[in-house]
Amino acid sequence: MADASNQLFDMWKKQVEEGSQAWLRMLGTPQAAPMDPQAFWRPFMDQGIAAWSRAMTQGQAPPDLMAQWKQFLDQWIAAWSKVLEQAMGTEAFAKTLGKQMEGFLNAASPVKKAAEQQVETSLAGLGLASRSQLIAVAQQIVQLEEKIEGVEDKLDAVLRRLDAVGGSR
Amino acid sequence: MKDELFTMVVPEMPGVSSETRARWQEEVNRNFLRMKHFSEMVMNPKEPEIGPTPRQEIYRKNKSRLYRYESRRMHRTPVLFVPNLGISRPYIFDLMPRGSFIEYMTQQGFDMYLLDWGVFGPEDNGLTFEDVVTKILPRMARKALESSGARELSVLGYCMGAPISASYLGSTPEFPLKNFVDMAGPIDFAHAGLFAQWLDARYFDVDKYVDTMGSIPADMVKAGFKLLKPTMDLSTNINLWWNLWNPEYVSGFNALNKWANEYQPFPGEFFRQWVKDFYQQNRLVRGELRMGGRPVSLRNIHAPVLAVGAKEDNIAPPGCVKPLITAVSSTDREYVELPGGHISLIAGRGASVHCWPKVASWLAARS
C-alpha cells in the first residue's frame, strides 16, 4: 500500500507541476486559446479514484486508508493553493483584477446613483426621511459627541491645573 | 439521543486481524458520529457562546468601545490591545473558554484593555486613518491609563492595529510606553504579499473606488479575503468533515465559523488613506507619514519591542512585520517567527502553545 501511496503522490506532484505551468502560461498569454483548467487534475483524480476502488474491491484496504486519503487531499489542496498563489501574484493577474474592478465601478456608478435618487424621491413622496437625511443627522450626533469630548478635555485640564495649584499651596 | 444507539459492530472476517477489525470499528463509529453531528448542525444549529471572559466597558466614543478585562494583576503595567479596524470583529481574541488569548493573558496576571473599534456606518465615511490615530486611539489609551492607575502602558497591536499603534507611538514620543508588541502587523508594505500587489497604484484606483462606493462594503472585504486563499473554504470543510466526530472540534468550529463569516465594512476615507499611504506609498517605514501635523518616525519608539510574524501568514507575511525591529530606536528588541497563519497565530490550539506563552513571558519580564 505504501508503494501505491508513493505512486499516487508522485503522480500528483507531476500533475501539480504541469498544472502550475499551464496556469502561468494562461495568465501570461491572455490571447491564447481558452484552456480547461480541469484537464490538469481530472486524469489524476480519475486514477486516484480507480486506485481507491481497486483497494476496496480487492478487500485489501487497510484501516488507515481514510487517513491516507485525507493526507492526500490535504497535500493536493496545499499544492493547488500554492499554484494559485503563484498565479495570483503575477502582474498579469493584478492588471486583470484592476480592469475587472474598473469595469465593475463603471457599471455600478450610474446604477447606484439612479437607485439612490429613486429611493430618495420615493421616500420624499411618502413624507419620510431619506437615507441621506438620516446619515446627516447621525453625522451631526458624531460631531456633537466630539464637541462634548473637547469640553470634557478642557475641563479635565482646568481641574488638573487647579489641583496642581492647590497642591503647591 | 445517545451515541450508543448509533453503534454498529464490524463482524469478524476471515484473514482480518483483530487489530485491523478494531480500527475499522473505530472508523465506523466515527462515521456514525459524523452523521449525528452533521444532522445536529443542519437541523438544530446552536448559537456558539463567545466572549467568555468577564469585562467592563470603560469608555465609548462613537462606535468604539474600550473594555477592561481585570486580572489578579501580577504585573504593574496593563496591556492595551489594539486590533484591526474593520474586516472582522474582535471577539476572536476572546472566542471561547480555554480558547481565548485575553483569558490566557488575564490568567497570567495582565490587566487587559481591548479597543473594540466597532462597526462603522455610512455616517462615519469621513473618518480617516489620521482621525483614528489622533482622535480615537489617544483618548482610549488615556482612559486605559486613568482606569488602571498605572503610569505606563504596554501596547499590543494585532494586524492593522500594529501600524495604527506604530503611527501613534511614532508621532507621540511623550506617550508613556512601557512595551510595544506587534503581532502579525504589517510595517514595511513593500513585502506585504498579494494585497500589496493587487492594491498597487498602477492597477487599483482607490480614489475611483471610494468615490463610487462611499464605504467599503463587508461583501467586498469578504471577496478580497476569499480571493487571497481560494482553497480555504474547501480545506475548512474537508477538515470539518474529518473531525466532525469530535464534539470539541465541532464547538470550536462553530465559534470560529461564526466569526469568520462576520466581515465588517471600512469607512471610505479610512480605506483611501490606508491604501494610499501604506500599501501604495509605504510611507510609515519611509518616515514620510504625518499624523495631526506631526511627523511619524518609528525612531521615536525607544521602549522594548517584540515583533511576531507567522510563517504562513499571507495577509501580513513575515517579511513585512520584521522590519519594525530595525526601524525603532529600542535597544531591547526581538523578532520571532512562529508557526501558523494570520489567524492561527493568535487563535486556536497552536496559538495557545506557541504565541500566547511567548508574548506573555516576554511582557512579564518587562512589566
Side-chain angles (χ1 to χ4, degrees), chain B residues 208-223:
Chain B
K208 188 171 185 175
Y209 191 92
V210 173
D211 293 343
T212 306
M213 303 299 290
S215 64
I216 312 308
D219 281 342
M220 291 298 247
V221 177
K222 183 178 180 176

Side-chain angles (χ1 to χ4, degrees), chain A residues 21-38:
Chain A
Q21 290 303 319
W23 268 103
L24 292 172
R25 272 201 306 276
M26 192 160 64
L27 284 161
T29 53
Q31 68 275 25
M35 298 168 87
D36 174 16
Q38 290 193 359

Side-chain angles (χ1 to χ4, degrees), chain A residues 2-169:
Chain A
D3 286 346
S5 296
N6 287 339
Q7 277 175 7
L8 277 176
F9 288 135
D10 287 344
M11 198 162 53
W12 153 72
K13 276 178 192 162
K14 196 180 164 205
Q15 289 290 333
V16 167
E17 279 163 14
E18 285 175 4
S20 59
Q21 290 303 319
W23 268 103
L24 292 172
R25 272 201 306 276
M26 192 160 64
L27 284 161
T29 53
Q31 68 275 25
M35 298 168 87
D36 174 16
Q38 290 193 359
F40 308 125
W41 59 267
R42 197 185 292 122
F44 162 63
M45 287 300 288
D46 288 347
Q47 288 179 51
I49 290 164
W52 168 272
S53 56
R54 212 169 33 246
M56 295 302 284
T57 50
Q58 288 171 1
Q60 291 168 351
D64 59 351
L65 191 65
M66 293 290 283
Q68 284 183 7
W69 184 246
K70 170 72 168 55
Q71 189 192 3
F72 164 76
L73 273 179
D74 287 344
Q75 296 200 27
W76 182 72
I77 291 170
W80 268 105
S81 182
K82 204 173 172 186
V83 169
L84 289 171
E85 198 179 314
Q86 278 176 2
M88 291 188 304
T90 58
E91 295 225 347
F93 185 86
K95 206 172 172 180
T96 310
L97 199 65
K99 274 187 181 165
Q100 283 196 348
M101 184 60 75
E102 202 177 333
F104 164 74
L105 292 174
N106 286 338
S109 182
V111 175
K112 193 169 177 274
K113 263 185 199 163
E116 278 170 2
Q117 271 177 357
Q118 179 73 35
V119 172
E120 295 264 322
T121 315
S122 307
L123 288 169
L126 291 166
L128 296 170
S130 69
R131 187 172 184 268
S132 58
Q133 283 172 324
L134 288 174
I135 290 172
V137 171
Q139 280 171 338
Q140 282 177 6
I141 293 170
V142 172
Q143 285 164 6
L144 195 63
E145 195 187 52
E146 283 199 3
K147 280 189 179 168
I148 293 170
E149 280 169 355
V151 173
E152 270 180 4
D153 287 349
K154 281 178 186 161
L155 270 176
D156 283 347
V158 170
L159 286 173
R160 272 198 300 273
R161 213 171 283 173
L162 281 174
D163 281 348
V165 172
S168 64
R169 279 185 184 172

Side-chain angles (χ1 to χ4, degrees), chain B residues 71 73-79 101 104-112 154-156 178-181 304 306 332 334 355-367:
Chain B
S71 70
R73 199 148 183 189
M74 290 150 64
H75 308 286
R76 196 182 305 156
T77 314
V79 179
F101 174 61
Y104 179 84
M105 291 297 281
T106 51
Q107 282 169 355
Q108 302 301 310
F110 291 98
D111 258 18
M112 294 289 287
S154 292
V155 176
L156 198 163
K178 184 74 175 169
N179 303 290
F180 178 43
V181 181
L306 171 68
D332 180 0
E334 186 182 347
C355 184
W356 303 351
K358 174 65 198 174
V359 172
S361 62
W362 189 89
L363 279 172
R366 295 164 177 83
S367 298

Side-chain angles (χ1 to χ4, degrees), chain B residues 258-330:
Chain B
K258 176 185 162 68
W259 172 83
N261 286 296
E262 276 187 354
Y263 284 90
Q264 303 301 321
F266 276 117
E269 292 307 321
F270 178 91
F271 185 73
R272 194 197 303 266
Q273 195 178 2
W274 171 240
V275 170
K276 273 191 177 177
D277 286 357
F278 291 83
Y279 277 101
Q280 295 183 343
Q281 296 169 18
N282 201 11
R283 296 176 75 185
L284 174 63
V285 84
R286 286 183 179 159
E288 295 167 0
L289 202 60
R290 290 185 78 83
M291 291 284 152
R294 290 172 154 205
V296 178
S297 171
L298 294 173
R299 292 268 166 237
N300 285 334
I301 299 176
H302 296 270
V305 168
L306 171 68
V308 186
K311 282 193 173 80
E312 290 140 46
D313 194 339
N314 56 356
I315 296 169
C320 70
V321 180
K322 196 176 178 181
L324 175 68
I325 295 301
T326 46
V328 295
S329 299
S330 321

